[in-house]
Amino acid sequence: MKVESFALDHTKVKAPFVRKCTVLTGEKGDKVTKFDIRFMQPNKEEMQSEGIHTLEHLLATYMRDDMDNIIDLSPMGCRTGFYMTAWGEDDVKTVIGAVENSLKKVLETEVVPAMNEVQCGNYKLHSLALAKEYAKNALSKGFTDKFMIE
Ligand SMILES: [Zn+2]
């Protein structure tokens, strides 16, 4: 399977969860890890574009307070969560801690960073209220590293 996530049976997972997708090793031995940070139950729930976009801006900012090795954090096209890539090989529990810390900050947020025409590609497509709703909902359920339904 060329695309790692296509090998995941989306009917057998229980969100919210954080999953380590892949660890890649470069020619010089540097490692890069990709994580699946899933907020919504696949094919049952989804985030609205305004909300996931705002959450992207906030997580991209707040996750870097806890982790200094993040390369990228981007929303999934299915709008059920985010992919994050980071240097090194952090364990899932470290990422869960950073995600939950970040979501607590989302609840306190009053101004969305980079929500303007210069710094964002669709600056009118935002909803802080929805981002807070998704954050609150995921925090109340809690993220797990045991995401496969038996
Ligand atoms: Zn944006």
Side-chain angles (χ1 to χ4, degrees), residues 53 56-57 114 119-122 126:
H53 185 196
E56 177 203 358
H57 279 229
Q119 294 178 288
C120 176
N122 197 348
H126 278 280

Side-chain angles (χ1 to χ4, degrees), residues 80-121:
T80 60
F82 299 85
Y83 284 117
M84 187 182 83
T85 50
W87 291 109
E89 198 180 347
D90 282 311
D91 60 44
V92 167
K93 289 205 161 44
T94 302
V95 177
I96 289 176
V99 169
E100 293 189 343
N101 265 346
S102 298
L103 294 178
K104 285 173 196 157
K105 292 179 191 171
V106 168
L107 298 179
E108 306 298 318
T109 297
E110 287 171 13
V111 178
V112 180
M115 197 180 82
N116 60 69
E117 200 174 0
V118 174
Q119 294 178 288
C120 176

Side-chain angles (χ1 to χ4, degrees), residues 7-110:
L8 175 73
D9 185 345
H10 287 72
T11 69
K12 299 248 176 352
V13 298
K14 180 89 181 80
F17 63 81
V18 174
R19 180 176 72 92
K20 187 180 279 195
C21 309
T22 9
V23 182
L24 300 174
T25 306
E27 282 177 19
K28 307 249 167 89
D30 288 313
K31 288 186 191 285
V32 170
T33 307
K34 177 183 170 185
F35 297 93
D36 168 344
I37 304 173
R38 196 75 61 141
F39 281 68
M40 297 291 182
Q41 186 61 28
N43 299 299
K44 304 275 186 235
E45 308 166 320
E46 64 187 291
M47 289 182 264
Q48 296 307 302
S49 295
E50 291 85 348
I52 195 173
H53 185 196
T54 299
L55 208 45
E56 177 203 358
H57 279 229
L58 296 172
L59 287 177
T61 305
Y62 297 147
M63 288 293 286
R64 287 179 167 91
D65 294 344
D66 284 9
M67 298 177 68
D68 62 5
N69 54 337
I70 295 174
I71 297 167
D72 178 62
L73 186 145
S74 301
M76 296 173 179
C78 59
R79 299 187 306 200
T80 60
F82 299 85
Y83 284 117
M84 187 182 83
T85 50
W87 291 109
E89 198 180 347
D90 282 311
D91 60 44
V92 167
K93 289 205 161 44
T94 302
V95 177
I96 289 176
V99 169
E100 293 189 343
N101 265 346
S102 298
L103 294 178
K104 285 173 196 157
K105 292 179 191 171
V106 168
L107 298 179
E108 306 298 318
T109 297
E110 287 171 13

